[in-house]
């Protein structure tokens, strides 16, 4: 029953956020036809464009995968 309720809530929430245009145009997660590859391509493209313009870029990556393993 809880999985069913979770799916109903997610469906309604996503519908509301889409209807009211609350997602950023750069949103990759939870969007149809978007994935981590979409986000990665955006970052790589931005870095390459900055490099072509002679700009300095700094990329900071955080791995939070273990942050929520403390049960």
């Amino acid at each position: 029953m809880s999985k069913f309720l979770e799916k109903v809530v997610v469906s309604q929430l996503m519908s509301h956020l889409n209807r009211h245009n609350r997602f950023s145009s750069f949103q990759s997660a939870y969007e149809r036809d978007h994935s981590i590859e979409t986000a990665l391509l955006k970052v790589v493209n931005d870095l390459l464009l900055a490099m072509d313009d002679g700009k300095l870029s700094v990329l900071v990556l955080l791995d939070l995968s273990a942050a929520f393993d403390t049960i």
Side-chain angles (χ1 to χ4, degrees):
M1 182 68 178
S2 65
K3 284 290 182 188
F4 173 74
L5 184 60
E6 179 182 338
K7 287 181 181 187
V8 169
V9 171
V10 167
S11 173
Q12 290 180 356
L13 179 61
M14 295 298 289
S15 175
H16 172 79
L17 293 173
N18 283 324
R19 188 172 345 124
H20 296 286
N21 201 22
R22 301 306 295 171
F23 282 115
S24 166
S25 61
F26 301 112
Q27 176 78 23
S28 287
Y30 313 114
E31 280 288 311
R32 173 179 235 131
D33 299 324
H34 289 266
S35 64
I36 190 65
E37 288 86 5
T38 308
L40 182 59
L41 286 173
K42 169 79 172 114
V43 170
V44 170
N45 186 56
D46 289 348
L47 289 171
L48 291 173
L49 289 174
M51 193 182 333
D52 287 344
D53 289 342
K55 295 178 181 176
L56 178 67
S57 297
V58 176
L59 181 63
V60 177
L61 302 172
L62 300 174
D63 181 8
L64 300 175
S65 61
F68 301 103
D69 291 340
T70 56
I71 294 179

